[in-house]
Amino acid sequence: DADVTQTPRNRITKTGKRIMLECSQTKGHDRMYWYRQDPGLGLRLIYYSFDVKDINKGEISDGYSVSRQAQAKFSLSLESAIPNQTALYFCATSGRSPLAGPTDTQYFGPGTRLTVL
Amino acid sequence: GQNIDQPTEMTATEGAIVQINCTYQTSGFNGLFWYQQHAGEAPTFLSYNVLDGLEEKGRFSSFLSRSKGYSYLLLKELQMKDSASYLCAVRDHNTDKLIFGTGTRLQVFP
């Protein structure tokens, strides 16, 4: 079973719709992240959370919101989707426990391909 | 500010050696990561450097020079499956966030 899962894997929606992307992890990590990836722009950080009570904006948070429902779950919402939010979205996790690998390495989910028409 | 530069594309031949360079500027450095990403898939962790020098892991090695703000990923005995994008990422000491470069797309030809 995958350690970091994302649902849905693909989604096509219309402008103005509210969309929620979900991320779950079984790695026991305390830190979770949401990125978007666009051709030629690389991975850009949307929001991140270092523990359940800690939520922080990344470099491109406008138009997005997040919820950290539990240590293992981190959801990304688009309140009113627009076409330039069409992208590949990745969730990632990291942790500082001895079991977490070399110093806070981030591990990525499989991605959600979102298309906004 | 923070900036990471790496070549956009590279090509190489199966069995050869290729070096992918990454230069960075950051206000506070706390480690450099290399990830591999096949088209449409998730990035997967390859290597981590925080001290100067070479880290070797099988066919892949990564080098870091903090004074020069420079790293490279060395891939030996190239295989067709190594065709992918390679992402350089720097962790900022002050925020603990990763800043990613735009990636280098490597194509391996027979």
Side-chain angles (χ1 to χ4, degrees):
Chain A
D1 287 342
D3 294 319
V4 185
T5 58
Q6 293 183 231
T7 56
R9 295 294 312 279
N10 289 282
R11 181 72 184 268
I12 300 173
T13 192
K14 295 181 178 180
T15 297
K17 295 290 187 181
R18 184 177 188 273
I19 298 297
M20 179 180 285
L21 309 183
E22 299 189 1
C23 177
S24 295
Q25 52 111 348
T26 58
K27 298 182 78 69
H29 287 168
D30 49 357
R31 300 181 170 196
M32 299 186 74
Y33 310 80
W34 275 105
Y35 292 90
R36 66 176 280 175
Q37 188 173 40
D38 300 271
L41 294 180
L43 283 162
R44 293 183 292 166
L45 184 62
I46 305 171
Y47 271 95
Y48 62 105
S49 169
F50 282 178
D51 65 44
V52 174
K53 296 182 180 179
D54 176 73
I55 303 289
N56 303 282
K57 292 182 178 181
E59 58 182 308
I60 53 163
S61 59
D62 287 349
Y64 301 94
S65 63
V66 290
S67 173
R68 185 82 185 264
Q69 300 95 322
Q71 186 193 33
K73 295 184 182 296
F74 192 37
S75 300
L76 176 72
S77 293
L78 287 67
E79 298 301 326
S80 180
I82 56 177
N84 77 0
Q85 291 178 312
T86 294
L88 188 54
Y89 289 84
F90 288 105
C91 173
T93 74
S94 69
R96 288 188 172 272
S97 71
L99 297 175
T103 317
D104 206 27
T105 300
Q106 290 187 21
Y107 295 91
F108 286 80
T112 295
R113 185 168 295 281
L114 177 66
T115 302
V116 184
L117 302 176
Chain B
Q2 295 159 327
N3 190 48
I4 298 177
D5 287 315
Q6 47 182 135
T8 304
E9 290 194 9
M10 298 183 70
T11 59
T13 305
E14 195 174 15
I17 300 174
V18 70
Q19 178 175 311
I20 303 174
N21 296 323
C22 172
T23 57
Y24 64 89
Q25 294 173 309
T26 181
S27 54
F29 175 84
N30 192 24
L32 186 143
F33 296 80
W34 283 97
Y35 283 83
Q36 181 190 60
Q37 185 179 23
H38 286 98
E41 297 182 8
T44 55
F45 169 74
L46 284 178
S47 68
Y48 170 72
N49 296 70
V50 68
L51 300 176
D52 291 351
L54 189 68
E55 293 283 340
E56 296 186 81
K57 191 184 294 186
R59 294 189 299 114
F60 294 1
S61 303
S62 57
F63 171 83
L64 175 68
S65 169
R66 289 171 296 170
S67 62
K68 295 181 179 179
Y70 169 69
S71 173
Y72 67 72
L73 180 69
L74 193 71
L75 292 75
K76 303 176 185 176
E77 301 170 15
L78 280 172
Q79 302 175 10
M80 298 297 291
K81 68 178 182 179
D82 297 329
S83 293
S85 289
Y86 292 86
L87 313 180
C88 172
V90 171
R91 181 161 61 216
D92 183 274
H93 175 75
N94 298 313
T95 64
D96 245 6
K97 294 186 295 185
L98 284 187
I99 310 299
F100 283 86
T102 54
T104 298
R105 182 174 171 231
L106 173 67
Q107 288 185 283
V108 180
F109 293 98

